[in-house]
Amino acid sequence: MTHLPVLISDLGLILAAGGITTIIFKKIKQPLVLGYIIAGLLVGPHFKFMPTVADSANITIWAEIGVIFLLFSLGLEFSFKKLVKVGGSSSITALVEIIGMCLIGYFVGRLMGWKTMDSIFLGAVLSVSSTTIIIRAFDELGVKHKKFATLVFGALIVEDLAAILIMVLLTTVAVSQQFEGAEMIVSILKLSFFLILWFLGGIFIIPSFLKFTKKLMNDEMLLVVSLALCLVMVILAVKVGFSPALGAFIMGSILAETTQAEKIEHLTKSVKDLFGAIFFVSVGMLIDPKILLAYWQPILIITGVTIVGKLITTGSGALLSGQPLKTSVQTGLSLTQIGEFSFIIATLGLTLKATSDFLYPITVAVSAVTTFTTPYLIKYSENFYNLLKKILPQKWLDAISRYSNSTEGITTLSDWKILLRSYIVNTITHSVIIIAIVVLTTRYLHPFITKNITNGTNGVIISIIVSFLIMAPFLWALSIRRIEKTAYSHLWLNKKYTRGPLIAIEVFRIALGVFFVGFLMYGFFDTWVAAGIALGLIVLVMVIFSRKLQNFYERMENRFFYNLNAREAAKKQPEILPWDTHLLELTVAPESKLVGQTLIDLAVREKYGINIAMIERGKIMIPTPKANERLYPNDKVLVIGTDDQLASVKPLFEGDHLAAQDENTFPKQDMSLQKIVINSKSPIFGQTIRNSGIREKTQGLVVGIERNGQRILNPDSNLVFENEDIVWIVGNNKRIPELLK
């Protein structure tokens, strides 16, 4: 008898349970994630009434793969450029929420008598909302076009990156079992260093590689390459002491900047769904119903703290960022849940043996409850705002309104701010690159040269030359390159008292470059004298070849920014946000009655109060289209208006007005090829095809006639039907039989 490995039977049991429960949850219109968790509970070791997974260790490995692909998928939706563009409002909102919920969660845990580590992890679990649940709720409620939705999505982007940072910090805290300020700072600096390095290197190399190999790759090869890049970054992350999830997230965010991001996301979706399902089932397997019953009071308390705390912290953050009270309340009630990142953080606590066993099932239970409540809180958020407006004193409402209006003005940056910001970015990025080069050459390049090429002094000289050639363009950019020439000239010429600080900045830049070169030299020479001589020679070479270094660096920089901006180069949207209006991209559905009409005939400004800012037709961009411009199927139209105006015009673009079928529409499956036999009593006997009314009666077309053993393909419309003709018609199969009556 053939032996079936336990892994296969366990996997079959997991997928079968997951498939059945998710079908049920889909039927009752509940989140599929909850279905997977219930499936895990049913096949887990704590539920004895059904077949149980035999080897939980193997499933843990599958679940870890699920976390990797789940984070990879989140990274594809994240992208660092989105973080840069997210704006101050979303950043402030998210940061206030994260810090506030971390503190609230910690103090609530301590008040319930929990250990310090349990309380710390509880705060982290409560600080991150669920992207998956919010997107699903927004889709179902049809509120993605509203102004607060943009703020929510921006906050979620910031939360994703913050969750990665929280995981790194929690790992440090869990290992040391105490707060070590120095270790925390080292962890943050280490994470920042590798994030910058991986982002710069990834954007420079990976988009160029994908562009170069685009013609060689089919869908299968692109899928394999994408997953390979993900796992390579996972390996790199683990090698430098980070979690696999961080590596997957970083690679996803790098690929999100490429022109093939949408295609990669589509190809990897099935892989993510499969392993993600296994992960969420494994989440359910770790739940012990006895613990849930024993801790039902903390579950209720933490659920209430999550909803109320997130409403207060998120709403306060939105108000602080200058948002109106209505938008702040709607944003606060949208983020009142925990989800996938909370599971991962709770799993991290279990894996590191830093938390008690009860924290994990409590996290899952709170997530389940808040998942159910989220759609209702979003739906009735406007009602809650109206109630709040009646309760709050008018002085408070006026103060909030004045503060919100005061933050809408256009902000300008002084020359000093522009210059200092550019210098800081330039110094940090190039310092990271140079440090990475020095570490790689001293640890890997030099040992390789001495082992395989030559050793002794010759090996040292070759290593230094190669290292310096790699470092030279970045040293030039760090120490010599002119940055923000216009702002620099204004400060130098117009305000003489600023020349001292400007000179000091330039001296610091040169000194920093000399320090890095000396740092490289000291790695190869035993004495400072030899290092000093080599340093002098290298500085001299840099001055002599400054022009060539500049040209080479500019080519690299142009390539980097080309890769960074390639995806959005053709999709640039004007940023016009007056008053309470905002931009929304709508697609003209093929069945929409807008198709074929000119803008002057539609009169959307007069009827709905919206303005059309741009039309995207394939690769063609039509900014501020003229009145005689027509709309065509699948045009992407950038419109600007208020929430109510956009809500009223959205069904027009999507063709929802055709939801009820009229006599001229029928389901696609009703279109078929059928034959009828003409006799002397047929309504169309003796008539021509044109006069028979077949097109009007059957919504069909005569494609062939068999007459006296001969076949007439695509007959002429003047052909007359005769007795015993066999007529082939493509049309509505429910109407064709009427021709026989």
Side-chain angles (χ1 to χ4, degrees):
M1 183 176 176
T2 304
H3 173 68
L4 184 68
V6 173
L7 177 63
I8 296 177
S9 59
D10 285 347
L11 184 61
L13 179 61
I14 282 178
L15 294 180
I20 293 170
T21 52
T22 50
I23 289 172
I24 296 171
F25 271 66
K26 183 74 173 178
K27 180 68 175 176
I28 61 178
K29 297 181 179 180
Q30 295 302 326
L32 300 186
V33 172
L34 292 181
Y36 288 129
I37 293 173
I38 296 298
L41 178 64
L42 295 177
V43 300
H46 305 292
F47 198 83
K48 304 298 184 182
F49 303 101
M50 290 184 65
T52 303
V53 169
D55 191 349
S56 299
N58 283 332
I59 302 305
T60 303
I61 296 173
W62 286 86
E64 188 167 352
I65 297 174
V67 173
I68 289 172
F69 289 124
L70 186 66
L71 268 294
F72 179 63
S73 177
L74 285 173
L76 282 170
E77 299 171 3
F78 169 80
S79 108
F80 283 100
K81 283 194 74 175
K82 285 184 180 178
L83 180 63
V84 173
K85 292 182 177 181
V86 87
S89 295
S90 296
S91 301
I92 294 171
T93 301
L95 290 175
V96 171
E97 179 205 357
I98 292 166
I99 296 171
M101 290 308 298
C102 281
L103 293 174
I104 290 172
Y106 173 77
F107 286 115
V108 167
R110 297 300 289 168
L111 288 173
M112 291 190 297
W114 290 8
K115 295 186 299 184
T116 301
M117 291 305 299
D118 290 334
S119 301
I120 292 172
F121 270 83
L122 176 62
V125 162
L126 299 185
S127 67
V128 188
S129 301
S130 172
T131 304
T132 306
I133 294 169
I134 291 173
I135 290 176
R136 177 185 177 276
F138 278 12
D139 283 336
E140 290 180 352
L141 297 173
V143 297
K144 290 178 73 172
H145 65 281
K146 293 191 178 253
K147 186 178 180 181
F148 77 90
T150 306
L151 184 64
V152 170
F153 288 137
L156 288 172
I157 292 171
V158 178
E159 283 188 6
D160 286 344
L161 186 61
I164 296 295
L165 175 61
I166 288 171
M167 290 169 63
V168 173
L169 296 179
L170 286 178
T171 303
T172 304
V173 173
V175 171
S176 63
Q177 289 293 314
Q178 59 184 340
F179 281 107
E180 290 287 345
E183 288 188 17
M184 297 284 285
I185 293 172
V186 169
S187 297
I188 293 173
L189 291 175
K190 183 179 177 183
L191 176 63
S192 303
F193 175 83
F194 281 104
L195 281 178
I196 295 170
L197 183 63
W198 287 335
F199 176 72
L200 295 174
I203 294 299
F204 187 79
I205 297 171
I206 292 173
S208 298
F209 167 74
L210 292 177
K211 182 181 178 182
F212 180 76
T213 58
K214 185 175 181 180
K215 294 182 179 179
L216 303 175
M217 284 195 194
N218 54 23
D219 288 353
E220 177 185 354
M221 294 170 65
L222 182 60
L223 173 63
V224 172
V225 169
S226 302
L227 297 182
L229 289 171
C230 170
L231 294 177
V232 166
M233 184 57 78
V234 166
I235 295 170
L236 286 176
V238 173
K239 287 286 185 183
V240 297
F242 296 124
S243 68
L246 174 63
F249 183 82
I250 295 299
M251 181 51 66
S253 63
I254 291 172
L255 289 175
E257 308 296 352
T258 67
T259 55
Q260 300 190 59
E262 288 85 358
K263 191 173 184 180
I264 293 172
E265 189 174 354
H266 172 72
L267 291 174
T268 56
K269 184 177 184 301
S270 299
V271 179
K272 183 263 294 185
D273 288 343
L274 173 63
F275 288 104
I278 297 172
F279 166 69
F280 287 117
V281 171
S282 69
V283 168
M285 290 171 59
L286 292 172
I287 299 175
D288 187 348
K290 294 179 181 178
I291 293 180
L292 295 181
L293 291 173
Y295 288 88
W296 66 270
Q297 288 179 323
I299 291 173
L300 291 179
I301 293 171
I302 295 170
T303 300
V305 167
T306 302
I307 295 173
V308 177
K310 281 182 173 283
L311 170 60
I312 294 173
T313 55
T314 308
S316 301
L319 284 174
L320 188 63
S321 70
Q323 294 299 316
L325 179 61
K326 181 179 180 180
T327 303
S328 301
V329 170
Q330 290 176 315
T331 303
L333 288 173
S334 298
L335 293 167
T336 52
Q337 76 293 120
I338 59 175
E340 53 278 355
F341 261 123
S342 301
F343 297 153
I344 295 170
I345 292 172
T347 306
L348 180 67
L350 278 182
T351 305
L352 297 174
K353 301 187 185 310
T355 58
S356 304
D357 292 339
F358 60 78
L359 180 62
Y360 189 89
I362 286 177
T363 300
V364 177
V366 172
S367 174
V369 176
T370 54
T371 298
F372 281 114
T373 59
T374 294
Y376 299 102
L377 293 173
I378 296 173
K379 184 177 181 180
Y380 296 107
S381 59
E382 191 166 348
N383 295 340
F384 182 76
Y385 158 73
N386 293 328
L387 176 64
L388 200 61
K389 193 165 66 169
K390 293 178 181 178
I391 296 174
L392 291 178
Q394 189 61 40
K395 290 183 179 180
W396 292 17
L397 296 175
D398 293 339
I400 292 172
S401 180
R402 284 195 302 271
Y403 178 76
S404 175
N405 292 332
S406 68
T407 61
E408 291 180 354
I410 300 174
T411 58
T412 57
L413 293 176
S414 67
D415 289 333
W416 264 119
K417 288 183 179 179
I418 293 172
L419 192 67
L420 289 175
R421 186 172 62 182
S422 300
Y423 274 137
I424 290 171
V425 172
N426 181 73
T427 301
I428 292 175
T429 53
H430 292 101
S431 296
V432 166
I433 295 172
I434 292 169
I435 292 171
I437 293 171
V438 171
V439 171
L440 289 173
T441 52
T442 53
R443 289 192 179 182
Y444 301 102
L445 178 65
H446 182 58
F448 175 82
I449 290 173
T450 54
K451 183 179 180 181
N452 298 285
I453 301 176
T454 181
N455 54 17
T457 306
N458 292 334
V460 170
I461 292 173
I462 292 173
S463 299
I464 291 174
I465 292 173
V466 174
S467 303
F468 177 70
L469 288 175
I470 299 172
M471 287 173 56
F474 306 106
L475 283 170
W476 173 85
L478 174 67
S479 301
I480 302 174
R481 179 194 182 200
R482 285 291 179 198
I483 304 171
E484 294 293 345
K485 295 180 181 179
T486 303
Y488 190 94
S489 299
H490 288 168
L491 292 170
W492 183 266
L493 296 174
N494 298 334
K495 299 180 180 180
K496 293 184 179 181
Y497 62 87
T498 60
R499 290 186 178 183
L502 289 175
I503 294 171
I505 290 174
E506 296 301 327
V507 170
F508 172 76
R509 292 177 64 198
I510 294 171
L512 190 61
V514 171
F515 168 78
F516 282 129
V517 176
F519 182 54
L520 173 67
M521 296 300 102
Y522 192 69
F524 292 101
F525 293 105
D526 294 332
T527 64
W528 279 109
V529 176
I533 295 171
L535 175 61
L537 292 173
I538 287 176
V539 171
L540 182 64
V541 170
M542 281 192 65
V543 173
I544 295 172
F545 293 99
S546 177
R547 176 62 62 181
K548 291 186 177 180
L549 289 174
Q550 177 181 350
N551 294 335
F552 181 75
Y553 178 83
E554 286 177 351
R555 288 199 298 272
M556 287 197 304
E557 186 180 56
N558 290 337
R559 168 56 59 183
F560 175 83
F561 283 111
Y562 175 81
N563 289 344
L564 186 64
N565 299 320
R567 181 181 178 188
E568 297 179 0
K571 296 183 178 181
K572 203 164 186 180
Q573 297 181 351
E575 296 181 1
I576 313 170
L577 297 172
W579 302 292
D580 60 344
T581 61
H582 62 104
L583 293 168
L584 180 68
E585 185 180 85
L586 296 173
T587 302
V588 180
E591 66 273 15
S592 171
K593 69 179 183 181
L594 303 180
V595 172
Q597 296 195 48
T598 63
L599 299 185
I600 193 170
D601 292 335
L602 293 174
V604 289
R605 179 186 293 181
E606 292 76 11
K607 294 179 181 178
Y608 301 98
I610 68 162
N611 289 288
I612 294 180
M614 186 171 67
I615 299 174
E616 179 183 349
R617 186 171 296 146
K619 295 183 179 179
I620 301 173
M621 298 292 169
I622 308 173
T624 56
K626 296 180 180 178
N628 60 354
E629 186 66 50
R630 295 184 184 274
L631 293 179
Y632 294 97
N634 298 314
D635 276 357
K636 293 181 180 179
V637 182
L638 192 67
V639 298
I640 182 169
T642 64
D643 286 346
D644 294 336
Q645 291 168 343
L646 294 173
S648 64
V649 80
K650 192 180 176 195
L652 219 62
F653 282 82
E654 297 177 347
D656 290 351
H657 60 286
L658 296 176
Q661 295 180 6
D662 58 28
E663 60 178 3
N664 294 317
T665 63
F666 56 93
K668 182 179 178 181
Q669 60 268 25
D670 288 352
M671 176 69 81
S672 64
L673 176 65
Q674 291 192 18
K675 69 176 182 179
I676 62 171
V677 180
I678 304 297
N679 55 47
S680 58
K681 296 182 180 180
S682 299
I684 61 175
F685 173 72
Q687 298 186 38
T688 64
I689 296 176
R690 179 184 288 114
N691 297 331
S692 65
I694 289 177
R695 183 184 295 270
E696 294 76 21
K697 294 176 181 177
T698 69
Q699 298 173 314
L701 182 69
V702 176
V703 294
I705 296 177
E706 291 186 31
R707 178 179 293 172
N708 300 325
Q710 295 183 346
R711 295 183 176 179
I712 306 171
L713 185 64
N714 296 325
D716 188 88
S717 59
N718 293 317
L719 187 144
V720 178
F721 290 115
E722 297 180 359
N723 191 32
E724 296 185 355
D725 278 353
I726 300 175
V727 183
W728 292 88
I729 302 175
V730 173
N732 189 336
N733 57 26
K734 295 179 180 178
R735 294 191 177 187
I736 291 175
E738 294 178 2
L739 295 176
L740 300 177
K741 295 180 181 178

